[in-house]
Amino acid sequence: MRSSSLWTASPKESRPVNIMLLYLVFILLISAVELSIDCPELCMCNAPDSIFCNNRKSTSVPHVPVTTQHLYIFHNNIPTLSQDDFRDLGELVTLDLSQNVLAEVPDRVFESLSKLKNLDLSTNSITHISKESFYGLVQLERLYLQGNRIQSIHWEAFEGLEMLLELKLQGNLLTSLPSLYFPSLLLLDLSHNYIPTLGHSDLHTPNLEALKLVSLGLTSVDEDVIGSMKNLHELDLSGNKLIEVPQALRQDSLKGLIKLSLASNPLLELRIKEFQKLVSLQELDLSGLNLQGFSDGFFESFPRLMHLTVAENPLNCQCPLAWFPIWLKEKEVKLKKPQITRCHFPLVNAGKMLSELEYKDFGCAPTTTEYIGFVKGNTFAPQIPTTPPDMIHTKAIPPPLPPSEETISSKTDNYPIHPEHPVSPSSSREENEQHFCPPNICLNGATCTLDSLGFVSCSCPSGISGLFCENELEDPEPQQPSTTKVPSVAPAMPSKPDAITSLHVTSTSIHLDLHHFIETRPNIRGIRLTYRNLSGPDRRPIILSLPTSYPEYTLRGLRPNCTYSVCASPLGEKNIVKSNSSIESGSCTEARTEGVLVTSVQPQVNGHTSISSTLITALAVLALVLGLAVMVGTLICLRRKRRANAGMELELGPADPDPTELDSIKSCLDNGVNGTLPLKQPEKDFCQTSQLPLLFQQNGHLDYESPLMQGQCPSNNNLASLKPSYF
């Protein structure tokens, strides 16, 4: 009875608790009112720490509360910045100033933003980066400078940015680079500048995952540059001046390469031995290389290939290439850009999509019947390869094979068949045809010209387009479907017209296809991308904001061997929060990341996850009430015990404390009021990790070419110290 009476508080003792609760509720109400009052004009303040001031057409940075963590001011008319604009925003984590008219980045303008992790200055008019443009940004992880007019960068401009994970410089006017020393960098994009040479001294990025060198004017690739990147997953060399496959691709360091693009290079030939080290390749782009076809077995070096692009090549759809569509179906390799992957030879197949052809359409020689006594046997005529099996020429296009009427008839009565040599063109004809276009290469009546290197160009007539004039303008009037023609099998389409799909998945990334989602919404101004880990203990959603100009997006820094739910919805629409704390609206898909063999890596979660203000308020109130209850209970226990001991000492003198009473008091301290507080549960291992994310770590990001995003967990499977990356 004594122990139960300890929890009975008098009205006077419970009055301070009630007053404290009323005071806490009052403070929360005041905070909500202040949030609505402090929101700048023409801005949206849907979350307590995020403010969207996009498309205001204002020339100044808005004044926002000092507690703001994510500030988006893209698509305004801001011409310049000053330190006063950000002086009191010490809590800022994300700052998006893209699509303004900034001409420079003043020295030390971001000095007070010591917690800033994401800075987007893309699509402005910046011409120079000075030594102190990014002074003080010691925690910066993502720096986006693409789409400016940058001509020079001070050689010390990036000093102090040792935490940088992503650097985007594509679409500027750079002709040289400072020495880029970034030990943690995961993504580097230098595309669409003019930097014809890159040496080993230019790049010190040993942990780089994605390197994009599109249209730099490269004539070669330094082997030491590629060899120093032991964790490279994606390499894009398209649109350069490479006349041979770089020797750098033969290094053992590229065994983990997943995506490779050699498109639109003047390569002379492709050899199988040049790709034998790329055993993990999943996506290969060989479009625009002037290829007529591939030798049988050319793709055996890529056992994991999932996506292949061979568009804008003058394919010779005759019997030597008949194996190719069959191989695509058997290996379940997806042929990308099928609409512009068309045949150019022979004339019967010219202009047809390769994906629509069947084996019989390649004109393989029919079977011949041989009589040996009274036994009949069917055999196929052997095919003579035009190129060695390990080599594909890409420089000049040879003429098509001789017409079928030149083949030797196999009909006999009672006489044996004497083999004859096939008819071949004369040497003078071969010599003359080196200076003329191959027949039938330019379609629809186009004019063909051949340069000194053997490259073909076609001058298309009016109403015709395409590299080889293969595309005709369609009749605006709809054609009536034919009742006798059997429709060809169309490529697989998503089940919903606006569905999003995952193109390829690795152990740390998911590549998303948002084409259909964007096409079905012509007036969409942005995409809200929401994803969450369904396999881990923390299933709270992470929300990103994407532009519509990039319909493909890669989530990086994910956990291996986990199932992720990804949903897309138009930016600005109200999300629906369900009971499981997930945000579901728009189109969704699920994808599971691959497992890894090495499990000793302990990913760390670093960043901030956006959760609702209601959940934060409820947890804060609950924690405070329980803490006060524990303190009140402890004080009551001690007071009752002292009173009892005082009474006993007056009658019997001092006595030793009762062990049962000490146990009761300890139980109050350990388990809280009436023992109702939950005990701490042991941590479990999810997704092959040995460390769980903290409860109140938050994440969020916005990028306009690719959104600014918060850190997740290391996307590098080999180094535990790296922070994650998104692209």
Side-chain angles (χ1 to χ4, degrees), residues 498-519:
D498 62 344
I500 62 173
T501 57
S502 56
L503 297 180
H504 65 83
V505 182
T506 69
S507 59
T508 59
S509 64
I510 299 176
H511 188 62
L512 301 173
D513 185 354
L514 304 172
H515 285 88
H516 298 285
F517 182 83
I518 298 174
E519 292 171 357

mmCIF file with all atom_site columns, all heavy atoms in Angstrom, residues 498-519:
data_model
loop_
_atom_site.group_PDB
_atom_site.id
_atom_site.type_symbol
_atom_site.label_atom_id
_atom_site.label_alt_id
_atom_site.label_comp_id
_atom_site.label_asym_id
_atom_site.label_entity_id
_atom_site.label_seq_id
_atom_site.pdbx_PDB_ins_code
_atom_site.Cartn_x
_atom_site.Cartn_y
_atom_site.Cartn_z
_atom_site.occupancy
_atom_site.B_iso_or_equiv
_atom_site.pdbx_formal_charge
_atom_site.auth_seq_id
_atom_site.auth_comp_id
_atom_site.auth_asym_id
_atom_site.auth_atom_id
_atom_site.pdbx_PDB_model_num
ATOM 1   N N   . ASP A 1 498 ? 1.289  7.812  -67.638 1.00 0.00 ? 498 ASP A N   1
ATOM 2   C CA  . ASP A 1 498 ? 2.170  8.758  -66.970 1.00 0.00 ? 498 ASP A CA  1
ATOM 3   C C   . ASP A 1 498 ? 3.088  8.075  -65.967 1.00 0.00 ? 498 ASP A C   1
ATOM 4   O O   . ASP A 1 498 ? 3.550  8.691  -65.013 1.00 0.00 ? 498 ASP A O   1
ATOM 5   C CB  . ASP A 1 498 ? 1.334  9.830  -66.255 1.00 0.00 ? 498 ASP A CB  1
ATOM 6   C CG  . ASP A 1 498 ? 0.442  9.223  -65.174 1.00 0.00 ? 498 ASP A CG  1
ATOM 7   O OD1 . ASP A 1 498 ? 0.259  7.980  -65.192 1.00 0.00 ? 498 ASP A OD1 1
ATOM 8   O OD2 . ASP A 1 498 ? -0.050 9.971  -64.322 1.00 0.00 ? 498 ASP A OD2 1
ATOM 9   N N   . ALA A 1 499 ? 3.365  6.787  -66.169 1.00 0.00 ? 499 ALA A N   1
ATOM 10  C CA  . ALA A 1 499 ? 4.134  6.031  -65.188 1.00 0.00 ? 499 ALA A CA  1
ATOM 11  C C   . ALA A 1 499 ? 5.606  6.402  -65.250 1.00 0.00 ? 499 ALA A C   1
ATOM 12  O O   . ALA A 1 499 ? 6.122  6.845  -66.271 1.00 0.00 ? 499 ALA A O   1
ATOM 13  C CB  . ALA A 1 499 ? 3.964  4.533  -65.430 1.00 0.00 ? 499 ALA A CB  1
ATOM 14  N N   . ILE A 1 500 ? 6.293  6.246  -64.122 1.00 0.00 ? 500 ILE A N   1
ATOM 15  C CA  . ILE A 1 500 ? 7.744  6.374  -64.078 1.00 0.00 ? 500 ILE A CA  1
ATOM 16  C C   . ILE A 1 500 ? 8.322  4.973  -63.948 1.00 0.00 ? 500 ILE A C   1
ATOM 17  O O   . ILE A 1 500 ? 7.708  4.080  -63.361 1.00 0.00 ? 500 ILE A O   1
ATOM 18  C CB  . ILE A 1 500 ? 8.189  7.264  -62.899 1.00 0.00 ? 500 ILE A CB  1
ATOM 19  C CG1 . ILE A 1 500 ? 7.765  6.643  -61.551 1.00 0.00 ? 500 ILE A CG1 1
ATOM 20  C CG2 . ILE A 1 500 ? 7.644  8.658  -63.039 1.00 0.00 ? 500 ILE A CG2 1
ATOM 21  C CD1 . ILE A 1 500 ? 8.313  7.389  -60.364 1.00 0.00 ? 500 ILE A CD1 1
ATOM 22  N N   . THR A 1 501 ? 9.494  4.770  -64.510 1.00 0.00 ? 501 THR A N   1
ATOM 23  C CA  . THR A 1 501 ? 10.137 3.464  -64.494 1.00 0.00 ? 501 THR A CA  1
ATOM 24  C C   . THR A 1 501 ? 11.587 3.623  -64.100 1.00 0.00 ? 501 THR A C   1
ATOM 25  O O   . THR A 1 501 ? 12.170 4.694  -64.233 1.00 0.00 ? 501 THR A O   1
ATOM 26  C CB  . THR A 1 501 ? 10.053 2.779  -65.874 1.00 0.00 ? 501 THR A CB  1
ATOM 27  O OG1 . THR A 1 501 ? 10.638 3.639  -66.859 1.00 0.00 ? 501 THR A OG1 1
ATOM 28  C CG2 . THR A 1 501 ? 8.613  2.485  -66.246 1.00 0.00 ? 501 THR A CG2 1
ATOM 29  N N   . SER A 1 502 ? 12.174 2.525  -63.616 1.00 0.00 ? 502 SER A N   1
ATOM 30  C CA  . SER A 1 502 ? 13.602 2.491  -63.291 1.00 0.00 ? 502 SER A CA  1
ATOM 31  C C   . SER A 1 502 ? 14.328 1.809  -64.436 1.00 0.00 ? 502 SER A C   1
ATOM 32  O O   . SER A 1 502 ? 14.039 0.666  -64.773 1.00 0.00 ? 502 SER A O   1
ATOM 33  C CB  . SER A 1 502 ? 13.830 1.738  -61.977 1.00 0.00 ? 502 SER A CB  1
ATOM 34  O OG  . SER A 1 502 ? 13.292 0.434  -62.049 1.00 0.00 ? 502 SER A OG  1
ATOM 35  N N   . LEU A 1 503 ? 15.274 2.528  -65.056 1.00 0.00 ? 503 LEU A N   1
ATOM 36  C CA  . LEU A 1 503 ? 15.988 2.013  -66.223 1.00 0.00 ? 503 LEU A CA  1
ATOM 37  C C   . LEU A 1 503 ? 17.048 1.000  -65.819 1.00 0.00 ? 503 LEU A C   1
ATOM 38  O O   . LEU A 1 503 ? 17.143 -0.068 -66.399 1.00 0.00 ? 503 LEU A O   1
ATOM 39  C CB  . LEU A 1 503 ? 16.624 3.174  -66.990 1.00 0.00 ? 503 LEU A CB  1
ATOM 40  C CG  . LEU A 1 503 ? 15.628 4.193  -67.571 1.00 0.00 ? 503 LEU A CG  1
ATOM 41  C CD1 . LEU A 1 503 ? 16.355 5.305  -68.304 1.00 0.00 ? 503 LEU A CD1 1
ATOM 42  C CD2 . LEU A 1 503 ? 14.650 3.506  -68.514 1.00 0.00 ? 503 LEU A CD2 1
ATOM 43  N N   . HIS A 1 504 ? 17.884 1.332  -64.845 1.00 0.00 ? 504 HIS A N   1
ATOM 44  C CA  . HIS A 1 504 ? 18.844 0.354  -64.344 1.00 0.00 ? 504 HIS A CA  1
ATOM 45  C C   . HIS A 1 504 ? 19.154 0.670  -62.889 1.00 0.00 ? 504 HIS A C   1
ATOM 46  O O   . HIS A 1 504 ? 19.058 1.817  -62.435 1.00 0.00 ? 504 HIS A O   1
ATOM 47  C CB  . HIS A 1 504 ? 20.125 0.326  -65.188 1.00 0.00 ? 504 HIS A CB  1
ATOM 48  C CG  . HIS A 1 504 ? 20.921 1.599  -65.129 1.00 0.00 ? 504 HIS A CG  1
ATOM 49  N ND1 . HIS A 1 504 ? 21.814 1.895  -64.127 1.00 0.00 ? 504 HIS A ND1 1
ATOM 50  C CD2 . HIS A 1 504 ? 20.967 2.643  -65.979 1.00 0.00 ? 504 HIS A CD2 1
ATOM 51  C CE1 . HIS A 1 504 ? 22.365 3.077  -64.349 1.00 0.00 ? 504 HIS A CE1 1
ATOM 52  N NE2 . HIS A 1 504 ? 21.861 3.552  -65.468 1.00 0.00 ? 504 HIS A NE2 1
ATOM 53  N N   . VAL A 1 505 ? 19.524 -0.372 -62.152 1.00 0.00 ? 505 VAL A N   1
ATOM 54  C CA  . VAL A 1 505 ? 19.708 -0.280 -60.707 1.00 0.00 ? 505 VAL A CA  1
ATOM 55  C C   . VAL A 1 505 ? 21.059 -0.880 -60.354 1.00 0.00 ? 505 VAL A C   1
ATOM 56  O O   . VAL A 1 505 ? 21.441 -1.931 -60.875 1.00 0.00 ? 505 VAL A O   1
ATOM 57  C CB  . VAL A 1 505 ? 18.584 -1.031 -59.953 1.00 0.00 ? 505 VAL A CB  1
ATOM 58  C CG1 . VAL A 1 505 ? 18.763 -0.888 -58.447 1.00 0.00 ? 505 VAL A CG1 1
ATOM 59  C CG2 . VAL A 1 505 ? 17.219 -0.506 -60.367 1.00 0.00 ? 505 VAL A CG2 1
ATOM 60  N N   . THR A 1 506 ? 21.809 -0.210 -59.487 1.00 0.00 ? 506 THR A N   1
ATOM 61  C CA  . THR A 1 506 ? 23.051 -0.745 -58.962 1.00 0.00 ? 506 THR A CA  1
ATOM 62  C C   . THR A 1 506 ? 22.894 -0.933 -57.455 1.00 0.00 ? 506 THR A C   1
ATOM 63  O O   . THR A 1 506 ? 21.797 -0.789 -56.906 1.00 0.00 ? 506 THR A O   1
ATOM 64  C CB  . THR A 1 506 ? 24.219 0.213  -59.266 1.00 0.00 ? 506 THR A CB  1
ATOM 65  O OG1 . THR A 1 506 ? 24.056 1.405  -58.482 1.00 0.00 ? 506 THR A OG1 1
ATOM 66  C CG2 . THR A 1 506 ? 24.248 0.574  -60.745 1.00 0.00 ? 506 THR A CG2 1
ATOM 67  N N   . SER A 1 507 ? 23.994 -1.246 -56.783 1.00 0.00 ? 507 SER A N   1
ATOM 68  C CA  . SER A 1 507 ? 23.924 -1.436 -55.337 1.00 0.00 ? 507 SER A CA  1
ATOM 69  C C   . SER A 1 507 ? 23.712 -0.133 -54.590 1.00 0.00 ? 507 SER A C   1
ATOM 70  O O   . SER A 1 507 ? 23.282 -0.151 -53.440 1.00 0.00 ? 507 SER A O   1
ATOM 71  C CB  . SER A 1 507 ? 25.207 -2.107 -54.843 1.00 0.00 ? 507 SER A CB  1
ATOM 72  O OG  . SER A 1 507 ? 26.335 -1.306 -55.162 1.00 0.00 ? 507 SER A OG  1
ATOM 73  N N   . THR A 1 508 ? 24.005 1.018  -55.249 1.00 0.00 ? 508 THR A N   1
ATOM 74  C CA  . THR A 1 508 ? 23.875 2.297  -54.553 1.00 0.00 ? 508 THR A CA  1
ATOM 75  C C   . THR A 1 508 ? 23.078 3.331  -55.325 1.00 0.00 ? 508 THR A C   1
ATOM 76  O O   . THR A 1 508 ? 23.010 4.483  -54.900 1.00 0.00 ? 508 THR A O   1
ATOM 77  C CB  . THR A 1 508 ? 25.273 2.886  -54.265 1.00 0.00 ? 508 THR A CB  1
ATOM 78  O OG1 . THR A 1 508 ? 25.968 3.055  -55.504 1.00 0.00 ? 508 THR A OG1 1
ATOM 79  C CG2 . THR A 1 508 ? 26.073 1.992  -53.350 1.00 0.00 ? 508 THR A CG2 1
ATOM 80  N N   . SER A 1 509 ? 22.469 2.973  -56.472 1.00 0.00 ? 509 SER A N   1
ATOM 81  C CA  . SER A 1 509 ? 21.781 3.983  -57.267 1.00 0.00 ? 509 SER A CA  1
ATOM 82  C C   . SER A 1 509 ? 20.603 3.383  -58.016 1.00 0.00 ? 509 SER A C   1
ATOM 83  O O   . SER A 1 509 ? 20.562 2.176  -58.267 1.00 0.00 ? 509 SER A O   1
ATOM 84  C CB  . SER A 1 509 ? 22.753 4.630  -58.272 1.00 0.00 ? 509 SER A CB  1
ATOM 85  O OG  . SER A 1 509 ? 23.208 3.679  -59.212 1.00 0.00 ? 509 SER A OG  1
ATOM 86  N N   . ILE A 1 510 ? 19.633 4.242  -58.368 1.00 0.00 ? 510 ILE A N   1
ATOM 87  C CA  . ILE A 1 510 ? 18.469 3.883  -59.184 1.00 0.00 ? 510 ILE A CA  1
ATOM 88  C C   . ILE A 1 510 ? 18.323 4.965  -60.249 1.00 0.00 ? 510 ILE A C   1
ATOM 89  O O   . ILE A 1 510 ? 18.195 6.154  -59.928 1.00 0.00 ? 510 ILE A O   1
ATOM 90  C CB  . ILE A 1 510 ? 17.187 3.795  -58.336 1.00 0.00 ? 510 ILE A CB  1
ATOM 91  C CG1 . ILE A 1 510 ? 17.323 2.717  -57.255 1.00 0.00 ? 510 ILE A CG1 1
ATOM 92  C CG2 . ILE A 1 510 ? 15.981 3.503  -59.223 1.00 0.00 ? 510 ILE A CG2 1
ATOM 93  C CD1 . ILE A 1 510 ? 16.131 2.651  -56.321 1.00 0.00 ? 510 ILE A CD1 1
ATOM 94  N N   . HIS A 1 511 ? 18.343 4.554  -61.531 1.00 0.00 ? 511 HIS A N   1
ATOM 95  C CA  . HIS A 1 511 ? 18.203 5.493  -62.647 1.00 0.00 ? 511 HIS A CA  1
ATOM 96  C C   . HIS A 1 511 ? 16.742 5.489  -63.095 1.00 0.00 ? 511 HIS A C   1
ATOM 97  O O   . HIS A 1 511 ? 16.202 4.439  -63.463 1.00 0.00 ? 511 HIS A O   1
ATOM 98  C CB  . HIS A 1 511 ? 19.114 5.077  -63.796 1.00 0.00 ? 511 HIS A CB  1
ATOM 99  C CG  . HIS A 1 511 ? 19.170 6.097  -64.896 1.00 0.00 ? 511 HIS A CG  1
ATOM 100 N ND1 . HIS A 1 511 ? 19.653 7.376  -64.708 1.00 0.00 ? 511 HIS A ND1 1
ATOM 101 C CD2 . HIS A 1 511 ? 18.789 6.029  -66.197 1.00 0.00 ? 511 HIS A CD2 1
ATOM 102 C CE1 . HIS A 1 511 ? 19.583 8.044  -65.832 1.00 0.00 ? 511 HIS A CE1 1
ATOM 103 N NE2 . HIS A 1 511 ? 19.049 7.261  -66.753 1.00 0.00 ? 511 HIS A NE2 1
ATOM 104 N N   . LEU A 1 512 ? 16.083 6.652  -63.063 1.00 0.00 ? 512 LEU A N   1
ATOM 105 C CA  . LEU A 1 512 ? 14.653 6.774  -63.296 1.00 0.00 ? 512 LEU A CA  1
ATOM 106 C C   . LEU A 1 512 ? 14.376 7.360  -64.675 1.00 0.00 ? 512 LEU A C   1
ATOM 107 O O   . LEU A 1 512 ? 15.122 8.213  -65.169 1.00 0.00 ? 512 LEU A O   1
ATOM 108 C CB  . LEU A 1 512 ? 14.009 7.669  -62.233 1.00 0.00 ? 512 LEU A CB  1
ATOM 109 C CG  . LEU A 1 512 ? 14.164 7.209  -60.786 1.00 0.00 ? 512 LEU A CG  1
ATOM 110 C CD1 . LEU A 1 512 ? 13.626 8.264  -59.849 1.00 0.00 ? 512 LEU A CD1 1
ATOM 111 C CD2 . LEU A 1 512 ? 13.459 5.876  -60.557 1.00 0.00 ? 512 LEU A CD2 1
ATOM 112 N N   . ASP A 1 513 ? 13.282 6.912  -65.282 1.00 0.00 ? 513 ASP A N   1
ATOM 113 C CA  . ASP A 1 513 ? 12.795 7.433  -66.557 1.00 0.00 ? 513 ASP A CA  1
ATOM 114 C C   . ASP A 1 513 ? 11.490 8.178  -66.293 1.00 0.00 ? 513 ASP A C   1
ATOM 115 O O   . ASP A 1 513 ? 10.489 7.585  -65.900 1.00 0.00 ? 513 ASP A O   1
ATOM 116 C CB  . ASP A 1 513 ? 12.572 6.290  -67.542 1.00 0.00 ? 513 ASP A CB  1
ATOM 117 C CG  . ASP A 1 513 ? 12.188 6.804  -68.928 1.00 0.00 ? 513 ASP A CG  1
ATOM 118 O OD1 . ASP A 1 513 ? 12.001 8.017  -69.074 1.00 0.00 ? 513 ASP A OD1 1
ATOM 119 O OD2 . ASP A 1 513 ? 12.074 5.991  -69.855 1.00 0.00 ? 513 ASP A OD2 1
ATOM 120 N N   . LEU A 1 514 ? 11.508 9.502  -66.509 1.00 0.00 ? 514 LEU A N   1
ATOM 121 C CA  . LEU A 1 514 ? 10.345 10.356 -66.232 1.00 0.00 ? 514 LEU A CA  1
ATOM 122 C C   . LEU A 1 514 ? 9.729  10.911 -67.506 1.00 0.00 ? 514 LEU A C   1
ATOM 123 O O   . LEU A 1 514 ? 8.950  11.866 -67.456 1.00 0.00 ? 514 LEU A O   1
ATOM 124 C CB  . LEU A 1 514 ? 10.759 11.511 -65.314 1.00 0.00 ? 514 LEU A CB  1
ATOM 125 C CG  . LEU A 1 514 ? 11.420 11.131 -63.988 1.00 0.00 ? 514 LEU A CG  1
ATOM 126 C CD1 . LEU A 1 514 ? 11.942 12.370 -63.293 1.00 0.00 ? 514 LEU A CD1 1
ATOM 127 C CD2 . LEU A 1 514 ? 10.464 10.377 -63.085 1.00 0.00 ? 514 LEU A CD2 1
ATOM 128 N N   . HIS A 1 515 ? 10.066 10.327 -68.681 1.00 0.00 ? 515 HIS A N   1
ATOM 129 C CA  . HIS A 1 515 ? 9.570  10.868 -69.949 1.00 0.00 ? 515 HIS A CA  1
ATOM 130 C C   . HIS A 1 515 ? 8.040  10.887 -69.994 1.00 0.00 ? 515 HIS A C   1
ATOM 131 O O   . HIS A 1 515 ? 7.420  11.908 -70.294 1.00 0.00 ? 515 HIS A O   1
ATOM 132 C CB  . HIS A 1 515 ? 10.109 10.034 -71.115 1.00 0.00 ? 515 HIS A CB  1
ATOM 133 C CG  . HIS A 1 515 ? 11.552 10.280 -71.412 1.00 0.00 ? 515 HIS A CG  1
ATOM 134 N ND1 . HIS A 1 515 ? 12.575 9.589  -70.783 1.00 0.00 ? 515 HIS A ND1 1
ATOM 135 C CD2 . HIS A 1 515 ? 12.162 11.157 -72.247 1.00 0.00 ? 515 HIS A CD2 1
ATOM 136 C CE1 . HIS A 1 515 ? 13.738 10.012 -71.239 1.00 0.00 ? 515 HIS A CE1 1
ATOM 137 N NE2 . HIS A 1 515 ? 13.525 10.964 -72.127 1.00 0.00 ? 515 HIS A NE2 1
ATOM 138 N N   . HIS A 1 516 ? 7.429  9.737  -69.713 1.00 0.00 ? 516 HIS A N   1
ATOM 139 C CA  . HIS A 1 516 ? 5.971  9.641  -69.828 1.00 0.00 ? 516 HIS A CA  1
ATOM 140 C C   . HIS A 1 516 ? 5.277  10.533 -68.801 1.00 0.00 ? 516 HIS A C   1
ATOM 141 O O   . HIS A 1 516 ? 4.219  11.105 -69.078 1.00 0.00 ? 516 HIS A O   1
ATOM 142 C CB  . HIS A 1 516 ? 5.537  8.185  -69.656 1.00 0.00 ? 516 HIS A CB  1
ATOM 143 C CG  . HIS A 1 516 ? 6.090  7.271  -70.701 1.00 0.00 ? 516 HIS A CG  1
ATOM 144 N ND1 . HIS A 1 516 ? 5.612  7.246  -72.004 1.00 0.00 ? 516 HIS A ND1 1
ATOM 145 C CD2 . HIS A 1 516 ? 7.089  6.364  -70.655 1.00 0.00 ? 516 HIS A CD2 1
ATOM 146 C CE1 . HIS A 1 516 ? 6.288  6.358  -72.694 1.00 0.00 ? 516 HIS A CE1 1
ATOM 147 N NE2 . HIS A 1 516 ? 7.195  5.804  -71.914 1.00 0.00 ? 516 HIS A NE2 1
ATOM 148 N N   . PHE A 1 517 ? 5.865  10.644 -67.623 1.00 0.00 ? 517 PHE A N   1
ATOM 149 C CA  . PHE A 1 517 ? 5.263  11.489 -66.597 1.00 0.00 ? 517 PHE A CA  1
ATOM 150 C C   . PHE A 1 517 ? 5.229  12.952 -67.043 1.00 0.00 ? 517 PHE A C   1
ATOM 151 O O   . PHE A 1 517 ? 4.239  13.654 -66.824 1.00 0.00 ? 517 PHE A O   1
ATOM 152 C CB  . PHE A 1 517 ? 6.058  11.341 -65.296 1.00 0.00 ? 517 PHE A CB  1
ATOM 153 C CG  . PHE A 1 517 ? 5.498  12.133 -64.159 1.00 0.00 ? 517 PHE A CG  1
ATOM 154 C CD1 . PHE A 1 517 ? 4.447  11.645 -63.401 1.00 0.00 ? 517 PHE A CD1 1
ATOM 155 C CD2 . PHE A 1 517 ? 6.003  13.388 -63.843 1.00 0.00 ? 517 PHE A CD2 1
ATOM 156 C CE1 . PHE A 1 517 ? 3.922  12.381 -62.353 1.00 0.00 ? 517 PHE A CE1 1
ATOM 157 C CE2 . PHE A 1 517 ? 5.494  14.128 -62.802 1.00 0.00 ? 517 PHE A CE2 1
ATOM 158 C CZ  . PHE A 1 517 ? 4.437  13.615 -62.058 1.00 0.00 ? 517 PHE A CZ  1
ATOM 159 N N   . ILE A 1 518 ? 6.307  13.414 -67.690 1.00 0.00 ? 518 ILE A N   1
ATOM 160 C CA  . ILE A 1 518 ? 6.379  14.810 -68.128 1.00 0.00 ? 518 ILE A CA  1
ATOM 161 C C   . ILE A 1 518 ? 5.509  15.041 -69.361 1.00 0.00 ? 518 ILE A C   1
ATOM 162 O O   . ILE A 1 518 ? 4.816  16.061 -69.480 1.00 0.00 ? 518 ILE A O   1
ATOM 163 C CB  . ILE A 1 518 ? 7.840  15.196 -68.410 1.00 0.00 ? 518 ILE A CB  1
ATOM 164 C CG1 . ILE A 1 518 ? 8.668  15.085 -67.122 1.00 0.00 ? 518 ILE A CG1 1
ATOM 165 C CG2 . ILE A 1 518 ? 7.936  16.600 -68.988 1.00 0.00 ? 518 ILE A CG2 1
ATOM 166 C CD1 . ILE A 1 518 ? 10.143 15.303 -67.328 1.00 0.00 ? 518 ILE A CD1 1
ATOM 167 N N   . GLU A 1 519 ? 5.513  14.087 -70.332 1.00 0.00 ? 519 GLU A N   1
ATOM 168 C CA  . GLU A 1 519 ? 4.766  14.270 -71.569 1.00 0.00 ? 519 GLU A CA  1
ATOM 169 C C   . GLU A 1 519 ? 3.267  14.354 -71.341 1.00 0.00 ? 519 GLU A C   1
ATOM 170 O O   . GLU A 1 519 ? 2.544  15.017 -72.094 1.00 0.00 ? 519 GLU A O   1
ATOM 171 C CB  . GLU A 1 519 ? 5.095  13.131 -72.527 1.00 0.00 ? 519 GLU A CB  1
ATOM 172 C CG  . GLU A 1 519 ? 6.538  13.177 -73.050 1.00 0.00 ? 519 GLU A CG  1
ATOM 173 C CD  . GLU A 1 519 ? 6.895  11.928 -73.825 1.00 0.00 ? 519 GLU A CD  1
ATOM 174 O OE1 . GLU A 1 519 ? 6.025  11.017 -73.900 1.00 0.00 ? 519 GLU A OE1 1
ATOM 175 O OE2 . GLU A 1 519 ? 8.016  11.851 -74.334 1.00 0.00 ? 519 GLU A OE2 1
#
